Amino acid sequence: MDSEQILKLYDWDDGICFRHRGRDEVPTTLVWTVRPAAGGIKDVRACEECVLIMEDTRRRAAERMGTNYEPGHVAETSQ
């Protein structure tokens, strides 16, 4: 599966990537929801570049463990 196909597995909306806070809004996807002890909910979003890095990390980990890699599960909402 190529990068474009992997990115199509996610829902995208403009936002700020958790790794690139200094950049303007770009297409991002929700990857985690943090619920701080003080209360409230904080969405953690990732840009296309970061999602592809996380997917590659997941793929390599699956290869090392001898398990099946299925793209599209970086975000907690897609698991």
Side-chain angles (χ1 to χ4, degrees), residues 24-69:
D24 292 332
E25 286 193 353
V26 296
T28 60
T29 193
L30 177 65
V31 290
W32 299 286
T33 299
V34 178
R35 292 173 176 82
I41 296 175
K42 174 68 177 165
D43 289 340
V44 179
R45 303 187 67 81
C47 68
E48 294 174 347
E49 174 186 351
C50 291
V51 167
L52 291 174
I53 290 169
M54 290 186 281
E55 283 286 1
D56 188 55
T57 300
R58 289 182 63 248
R59 181 191 54 76
R60 287 185 282 119
E63 286 175 0
R64 283 192 308 271
M65 293 185 299
T67 60
N68 185 38
Y69 162 69

